[in-house]
Amino acid sequence: MIYRIRHITKYNYSRAVSLCYNQAHLLPRDTDYQSCRKTQVNITPKPAYMSQREDYFGNNYFYFSLQKSHKKLVIDVTTEIDTLPDRSSLNLDLGNTCLQARQLMEDANTPEIKEAREYLLDSPMIKASKGLQEYAQELFDDNLPLLSAVRALTSKIFKEFKYDPASTTVATPLNEVLENKHGVCQDFAHLAIGCLRSLGFPARYVSGYLETLPPPGEVKLVGADASHAWFAVFSPGEGWFEFDPTNDNIPADQHITTAWGRDYSDVTPMRGVIFDGGNSQELSVSVDVQRIPD
């Protein structure tokens, strides 16, 4: 499957910005399940400087600076991605048990396991806790296959939490999400990661896009898609496996990965510093995920 993704971010400032520096994680990365065919980045006003780099986690990002006065900034990124056939039909009843996975993480010393151990540690937005451990503990019996237990956790979050964009912000603490049982895809991914790390299993945050389809007989609206987030868990000797608690499924070819890290703060779509700009700014985001002929 080939997709064309167009992600447009617009900022309108109440007063002119004299200088700004920005970093954007808006360039999908190559993975075992997708490859980037081509990318085009258009920024208005034209940047004084721009470069593309790779971050610590291997994600692609670009950096740019504007050194002329402006009241409006537009970042328009179009990417074509080739995704491989459906990868969702995993046999979750095979592989390491929960006990075996924990023991291998403690005892084995391969480069892959050493790298994965970083995802056991607390990160800026996810702290292991007794509450998170208790929420998931009953699903992770020592003798159960790890992937089967993670799938059960994915379903538990889907069933017990309500998707509610008005209930949280980017900065809402994870303990509040757990208590109120409301949130968005970012919150649900953070929750699953927090539970897994609290139980001794490495887990990472994945950002990207999800193709959405209109109801039968209706035309898909331009700009109606959105960024998405899910998580991946590491099973020693077997690799990383992805799960989507917002939709209670295993990501397949309709999930397009942009970046991954310890949590959302590692892969924020846009971050930067501005000088002046007044007391307020208006942000709008438009995303289109469109299938194109092979």
Side-chain angles (χ1 to χ4, degrees):
M1 190 77 67
I2 301 174
Y3 289 101
R4 179 180 294 118
I5 304 141
R6 189 178 185 190
H7 188 135
I8 303 174
T9 307
K10 297 180 181 179
Y11 291 93
N12 286 289
Y13 305 102
S14 59
R15 199 166 63 201
V17 172
S18 60
L19 177 67
C20 71
Y21 301 95
N22 302 277
Q23 176 181 299
H25 276 100
L26 295 171
L27 305 175
R29 63 181 292 161
D30 289 340
T31 72
D32 292 340
Y33 304 110
Q34 69 179 41
S35 59
C36 183
R37 296 162 64 98
K38 60 181 179 180
T39 299
Q40 183 176 354
V41 178
N42 294 309
I43 300 172
T44 308
K46 185 177 180 180
Y49 173 81
M50 180 174 171
S51 69
Q52 182 175 332
R53 304 175 185 177
E54 189 175 284
D55 70 10
Y56 172 79
F57 301 100
N59 304 308
N60 299 314
Y61 75 97
F62 59 92
Y63 165 86
F64 65 96
S65 63
L66 275 68
Q67 299 175 14
K68 291 185 178 180
S69 178
H70 59 281
K71 290 190 69 175
K72 184 177 182 179
L73 171 61
V74 180
I75 303 99
D76 186 345
V77 180
T78 301
T79 309
E80 285 188 11
I81 290 288
D82 192 353
T83 61
L84 297 182
D86 191 341
R87 60 188 188 273
S88 62
S89 55
L90 296 173
N91 189 336
L92 303 179
D93 293 324
L94 297 177
N96 294 322
T97 65
C98 296
L99 178 60
Q100 288 170 336
R102 271 192 290 258
Q103 289 176 334
L104 286 169
M105 286 305 303
E106 292 175 2
D107 301 335
N109 233 3
T110 66
E112 188 181 32
I113 289 178
K114 286 180 178 179
E115 182 178 344
R117 283 185 182 133
E118 179 174 11
Y119 293 96
L120 282 170
L121 305 175
D122 287 346
S123 55
M125 303 184 74
I126 303 175
K127 312 293 183 187
S129 70
K130 185 177 180 180
L132 291 170
Q133 180 182 5
E134 291 175 347
Y135 178 75
Q137 181 75 66
E138 65 179 5
L139 303 176
F140 289 81
D141 183 273
D142 283 349
N143 297 314
L144 284 176
L146 171 61
L147 298 182
S148 178
V150 177
R151 185 66 181 89
L153 174 62
T154 300
S155 295
K156 180 179 175 70
I157 294 171
F158 175 79
K159 293 172 182 176
E160 297 183 1
F161 284 73
K162 180 180 179 181
Y163 185 87
D164 182 2
S167 65
T168 60
T169 69
V170 171
T172 300
L174 193 49
N175 63 318
E176 289 186 21
V177 175
L178 179 60
E179 181 179 353
N180 298 327
K181 290 186 166 48
H182 284 236
V184 295
C185 57
Q186 172 194 309
D187 301 307
F188 303 153
H190 279 172
L191 176 65
I193 293 167
C195 290
L196 290 166
R197 290 180 186 170
S198 297
L199 291 166
F201 305 111
R204 68 189 181 196
Y205 182 93
V206 185
S207 70
Y209 303 99
L210 176 64
E211 179 194 25
T212 59
L213 299 175
E218 295 187 19
V219 177
K220 185 171 181 176
L221 299 176
V222 175
D225 295 309
S227 299
H228 192 45
W230 55 98
F231 73 93
V233 65
F234 179 76
S235 181
E238 298 172 334
W240 289 92
F241 298 87
E242 297 179 359
F243 297 84
D244 181 353
T246 304
N247 296 291
D248 193 21
N249 63 23
I250 295 173
D253 54 357
Q254 289 177 283
H255 286 71
I256 300 157
T257 299
T258 300
W260 59 58
R262 298 167 300 168
D263 58 37
Y264 172 81
S265 67
D266 285 330
V267 295
T268 308
M270 285 289 302
R271 66 170 61 183
V273 177
I274 65 172
F275 294 84
D276 301 324
N279 296 322
S280 63
Q281 65 181 32
E282 181 182 323
L283 169 64
S284 63
V285 177
S286 170
V287 177
D288 279 307
V289 179
Q290 179 185 10
R291 297 187 188 195
I292 61 177
D294 191 347

